[in-house]
Amino acid sequence: IARSPAVGLSGNYDSSPAVLLVTHDVDEAVALAHRIIVLQPGAIAQDAAPHVLLAQPASLAVARLLGLPNVIPGVRDQRGVMSCVLGSIPGHGPAGPAWLVSRADAFVASAGSAVSAPHAVMGVASAVHERVSGATVHVRVGDQLVVALPDRHFPPSVGAEVVLTIDLSRVHVLSEASAGV
């Protein structure tokens, strides 16, 4: 075991041993690691802290490996704004094909029949999955399926019209060049 400087709870460097864990379980890696290295055939695809990796995957391949449920295609214009079934997603990057990737917590599904928030769209709940960690709602928007969290006041039901609100700080847009397609 090689020793490397590590920051202890006090904020001081200590001489704790470095530990290397090889796993295919993303939840285990996120729970245990301070840094995750994603390997793709023959190369390092991304090296980052878990929160960075989940919020800003370097490619579609990394996003899919991590199990990010939302991968939505679109096109980015010259100003960097992506257009897709969710509307216009502001940002920056080269014009051309783009993909919005995110975890379910980037979207909230709530009851309603009219959009009132600036970054919201209408959809239909197509599935509800109850889990120990909470429910997710699969919302059909156009030809895309978006995995979202239900509003805490909204008991989701299949077939219900929903307003899908987008938290722009929790979505990441990849360009074709970075997508690794």
Side-chain angles (χ1 to χ4, degrees):
I1 295 176
R3 293 206 176 262
S4 66
V7 178
L9 293 176
S10 65
N12 298 323
Y13 284 93
D14 63 31
S15 58
S16 299
V19 175
L20 174 67
L21 169 70
V22 177
T23 182
H24 290 105
D25 185 329
V26 174
D27 290 330
E28 179 179 50
V30 169
L32 296 174
H34 295 284
R35 191 172 114 213
I36 297 174
I37 297 174
V38 178
L39 298 174
Q40 295 289 319
I44 293 175
Q46 190 166 359
D47 176 355
H51 71 279
V52 172
L53 194 69
L54 291 170
Q56 298 174 343
S59 67
L60 283 177
V62 171
R64 288 183 175 125
L65 180 74
L66 295 172
L68 296 182
N70 296 308
V71 177
I72 300 166
V75 177
R76 199 175 346 211
D77 67 18
Q78 297 296 337
R79 299 170 298 145
V81 176
M82 179 184 171
S83 296
C84 63
V85 297
L86 301 174
S88 296
I89 308 297
H92 59 281
W99 290 264
L100 178 144
V101 294
S102 75
R103 298 177 359 172
D105 63 0
F107 302 96
V108 175
S110 54
S113 57
V115 174
S116 60
H119 295 288
V121 295
M122 291 300 302
V124 175
S126 63
V128 177
H129 295 282
E130 295 285 345
R131 295 196 168 91
V132 172
S133 60
T136 58
V137 181
H138 292 216
V139 178
R140 174 107 8 232
V141 178
D143 64 347
Q144 293 294 311
L145 194 62
V146 178
V147 180
L149 300 181
D151 179 274
R152 62 185 183 142
H153 302 293
F154 174 55
S157 61
V158 173
E161 277 192 331
V162 299
V163 175
L164 192 64
T165 305
I166 306 162
D167 180 347
L168 294 177
S169 70
R170 294 183 172 274
V171 298
H172 182 59
V173 178
L174 296 166
S175 66
E176 185 173 41
S178 66
V181 199

